[in-house]
Amino acid sequence: MSNSNEDNKENEVRQNQVKEYLKTLEFREIYGDLISSCVVRNIRVVGDYLYLKLFLGSDQIKLKEIIENKLKIFSWAKKVYLDLKFIKGVKRTIAIGSGKGGVGKSSVTVGLALNLKKTEYFDVSSGVENSEGIKDEKLISEFISKANKAVK
């Protein structure tokens, strides 16, 4: 019977191997490697099982199977579990957050949205189903209308 400390160390070594390997994989659909682009997160190794979360745009879902096949390089992994996370119809999401209030998250969000709108990559519509936009109940209506008026 193996020692749990030894098992934990082995799991950690395997987890680091997976992470380092994923840093070498790049796809034209993703800017950078799978780790630095935050496409792959929450890598966990438990014994002979590998778990990870994939955060993809709705147009990148086909990459799940490709990544799963690439992970077959780890012969110790009896099973690879990929937990796919995406929002139907949404190609990209940008999260702006902070652990503290009053640091300018709303200002950054609106400034970013307005600049992206100028490049035609983003529509700052407010909560209309099947459209792109800012999803923050506190922010949407009043703040965007004031910001739009200021830009015009």
Side-chain angles (χ1 to χ4, degrees):
M1 191 164 165
S2 65
N3 183 332
S4 67
N5 283 339
E6 290 174 12
D7 290 344
N8 289 340
K9 287 180 185 177
E10 181 66 23
N11 289 344
E12 189 176 328
V13 166
R14 288 177 171 180
Q15 184 174 318
N16 286 331
Q17 288 173 341
V18 171
K19 186 175 182 179
E20 291 305 310
Y21 175 68
L22 291 171
K23 285 180 181 178
T24 68
L25 298 181
E26 293 190 13
F27 299 91
R28 64 181 155 78
E29 298 91 345
I30 297 170
Y31 181 78
D33 65 77
L34 295 175
I35 298 297
S36 66
S37 64
C38 297
V39 168
V40 172
R41 295 184 232 166
N42 302 66
I43 301 168
R44 298 287 176 260
V45 174
V46 180
D48 296 332
Y49 298 92
L50 172 58
Y51 304 86
L52 51 90
K53 289 186 180 181
L54 282 180
F55 291 82
L56 297 171
S58 62
D59 62 327
Q60 300 170 323
I61 295 172
K62 65 184 183 287
L63 293 177
K64 179 185 179 195
E65 186 177 331
I66 295 168
I67 294 167
E68 195 167 24
N69 286 329
K70 296 274 188 188
L71 290 169
K72 289 180 181 176
I73 191 170
F74 298 102
S75 57
W76 52 262
K78 289 181 182 174
K79 180 72 177 158
V80 175
Y81 295 94
L82 299 181
D83 183 9
L84 179 60
K85 304 290 184 186
F86 72 99
I87 302 170
K88 185 178 178 180
V90 175
K91 291 182 179 180
R92 305 294 172 269
T93 56
I94 300 172
I96 300 176
S98 169
K100 183 180 180 324
V103 294
K105 296 179 294 292
S106 296
S107 297
V108 168
T109 300
V110 170
L112 180 61
L114 291 172
N115 280 295
L116 287 171
K117 184 179 181 181
K118 290 178 189 175
T119 65
E120 299 179 10
Y121 285 111
F122 191 80
D123 175 13
V124 291
S125 60
S126 55
V128 177
E129 195 170 328
N130 296 325
S131 70
E132 298 170 346
I134 298 170
K135 309 298 185 204
D136 183 334
E137 293 174 17
K138 296 178 189 174
L139 176 65
I140 293 173
S141 58
E142 185 179 334
F143 202 76
I144 292 178
S145 65
K146 287 181 183 178
N148 276 326
K149 287 176 187 173
V151 171
K152 292 178 184 178

